[in-house]
Amino acid sequence: MKILIGSDHAGYELKQKIVSHLKGREGLEVEDFGTDTSEVSCDYTDIALQVGRSVAHGDADRGILVCGTGLGMEIAANKVSGVYAAGCWNKEVAALSRQHNNSNVLTLGARVLDEKTAMEVVDTWLATEFEGGRHIRRTQKICAYERSANRAFNNGQGGQVVIFDHPLVQHKLSIIRDKNTPVKTFRETVAEIASLMVYEITRDLPLKMIDVETPVTRTKAYAIAGKKLAVVPILRAGLGMMEGVLNLIPNAKIGHIGLYRDPQTLAPVEYYCKLPGDIEERDIFLLDPMLATGGSSAAAISLIKKRGGRKISLVCMIGAPEGVSVVHEAHPDVNIFVAALDSHLNEHGYIVPGLGDAGDRIFGTR
């Protein structure tokens, strides 16, 4: 089990004692997210959100947060979708927070708990499992609300479909839907939409605390914590999205997958696949503007998995329900991000209303 632990300046001393208390235990990995001193004031929100995002993102199993009362950390962490933070003041409450609520983040108050009680709470919370049963129905209702609030829904097997309804994305999507939009504008707008989408998709990247010397003083700041990323466009239309993604994450490694759709069977045919050598270590963004039948995307994901890739997100401009079903039937672990989920496919396999053939419109070959 991997545990992330963080505190503000008020919780620093207790956090250090908890780290010492847990380190060296068999089967337990502890990562300290800071802060690293009680002498410099820092905002509990920064630590709570970073630990919360990492737990929700699956980079750790659980998190422990410490501040003066535990309340600020609890409130802040619970703003992160997928975090279920519980402030606990004795071992009985700690046990119930796991048994009944399946809490994945524990918050503690250094000013209101003595060291002995704090360690009892931590040990009980880590050792207690979720009971399930009638409590599953209640926790699932929380998850359902989170998905509706975030414009995302689950396929019932693990993968999510996330729809970006940001006004800028929807405005630019209208531009590329218009059949009269010229090639130059179409190409530029596709890249802009890709940038806006990846900005949101990377929201949960883990951060680490660093020291920075400003022109005025030294301070604490944050940097991306060494997360390895890969961008893999499906040729050729996916190339239109690549520039927009790389504008925001220029250090990502790039792969390419060549597939075309047989005009008779609509089945994908592979003609090229070149991926980074360390693809198994990277979070992978698979780019394809149109998720129509889903065959090409599902085949591309299979190619990546055969070469060791594990954490894959499919990023598309427009999707059809048929394509979503095909991808999630083959790969229920893959999250799908789209700017719009349209009505259906027509008899030729095109998305309705869609925008036509994205590759032809990007490269001017229609």
Side-chain angles (χ1 to χ4, degrees):
M1 181 189 297
K2 183 174 181 179
I3 306 296
L4 306 183
I5 183 165
S7 74
D8 64 0
H9 57 286
Y12 172 75
E13 299 294 343
L14 180 57
K15 181 204 71 175
Q16 294 302 103
K17 292 175 181 176
I18 295 172
V19 170
S20 298
H21 180 69
L22 296 179
K23 278 206 167 174
R25 291 194 184 183
E26 186 177 353
L28 203 62
E29 179 185 352
V30 179
E31 184 174 345
D32 190 341
F33 261 52
T35 190
D36 55 9
T37 178
S38 61
E39 302 300 319
V40 179
S41 177
C42 70
D43 296 333
Y44 62 80
T45 46
D46 295 336
I47 302 293
L49 293 174
Q50 294 314 315
V51 169
R53 286 170 181 162
S54 294
V55 171
H57 195 243
D59 296 318
D61 299 291
R62 299 191 207 171
I64 300 174
L65 295 167
V66 190
C67 63
T69 64
L71 296 175
M73 288 290 196
E74 182 180 10
I75 292 169
N78 276 323
K79 296 299 181 184
V80 179
S81 180
V83 167
Y84 312 109
C88 299
W89 55 92
N90 60 42
K91 61 183 183 181
E92 290 77 20
V93 172
L96 289 170
S97 80
R98 289 287 306 135
Q99 291 169 344
H100 292 185
N101 310 116
N102 200 21
S103 62
N104 55 8
V105 173
L106 170 68
T107 68
L108 301 169
R111 293 173 180 156
V112 297
L113 287 176
D114 60 70
E115 181 181 341
K116 179 176 179 295
T117 302
M119 300 310 164
E120 288 178 347
V121 168
V122 168
D123 289 343
T124 301
W125 186 76
L126 290 175
T128 305
E129 296 298 327
F130 180 49
E131 286 184 352
R134 69 186 188 278
H135 305 297
I136 292 177
R137 181 179 73 253
R138 295 158 185 170
T139 56
Q140 283 181 339
K141 287 183 177 180
I142 298 173
C143 295
Y145 177 78
E146 285 181 331
R147 290 194 294 270
S148 65
N150 290 316
R151 294 287 292 148
F153 62 88
N154 194 277
N155 71 336
Q157 299 172 292
Q160 261 193 351
V161 178
V162 181
I163 303 170
F164 291 92
D165 60 353
H166 191 285
L168 282 177
V169 173
Q170 294 304 309
H171 169 74
K172 293 179 183 296
L173 191 61
S174 297
I175 295 173
I176 62 174
R177 285 191 190 273
D178 188 342
K179 68 177 184 179
N180 296 313
T181 297
V183 170
K184 180 177 182 294
T185 304
F186 187 94
R187 186 184 302 130
E188 292 171 347
T189 307
V190 165
E192 290 169 359
I193 294 172
S195 290
L196 291 169
M197 291 180 70
V198 80
Y199 175 84
E200 283 295 323
I201 293 167
T202 55
R203 157 181 304 280
D204 292 329
L205 289 180
L207 298 178
K208 62 181 178 181
M209 186 176 287
I210 61 173
D211 292 312
V212 172
E213 185 82 36
T214 78
V216 179
T217 186
R218 290 186 66 81
T219 189
K220 298 292 182 182
Y222 293 92
I224 293 175
K227 197 70 170 181
K228 293 183 176 181
L229 304 176
V231 178
V232 182
I234 298 178
L235 303 178
R236 63 181 172 151
L239 292 173
M241 300 175 67
M242 187 172 68
E243 181 182 353
V245 174
L246 293 178
N247 282 339
L248 289 188
I249 48 173
N251 292 326
K253 286 192 175 180
I254 302 169
H256 295 88
I257 292 177
L259 296 166
Y260 68 88
R261 189 169 62 172
D262 186 289
Q264 301 301 321
T265 66
L266 303 183
V269 180
E270 174 194 348
Y271 64 89
Y272 185 78
C273 183
K274 181 71 172 178
L275 302 174
D278 59 350
I279 194 68
E280 71 280 356
E281 300 175 10
R282 296 182 176 270
D283 279 14
I284 303 153
F285 299 139
L286 180 64
L287 309 181
D288 194 6
M290 309 299 286
L291 177 56
T293 64
S296 294
S297 295
I301 294 167
S302 295
L303 288 173
I304 294 172
K305 288 183 174 180
K306 285 179 182 177
R307 287 159 175 80
R310 294 189 298 272
K311 195 157 191 179
I312 306 166
S313 296
L314 176 60
V315 185
C316 308
M317 299 287 176
I318 299 175
E322 296 92 331
V324 169
S325 296
V326 167
V327 170
H328 274 164
E329 183 177 348
H331 304 286
D333 57 315
V334 172
N335 288 334
I336 300 173
F337 298 89
V338 294
L341 189 64
D342 280 6
S343 173
H344 63 282
L345 299 179
N346 66 15
E347 64 275 16
H348 302 295
Y350 282 92
I351 298 174
V352 180
L355 52 74
D357 188 302
D360 281 345
R361 297 193 66 187
I362 290 168
F363 296 103
T365 53
R366 56 175 173 161

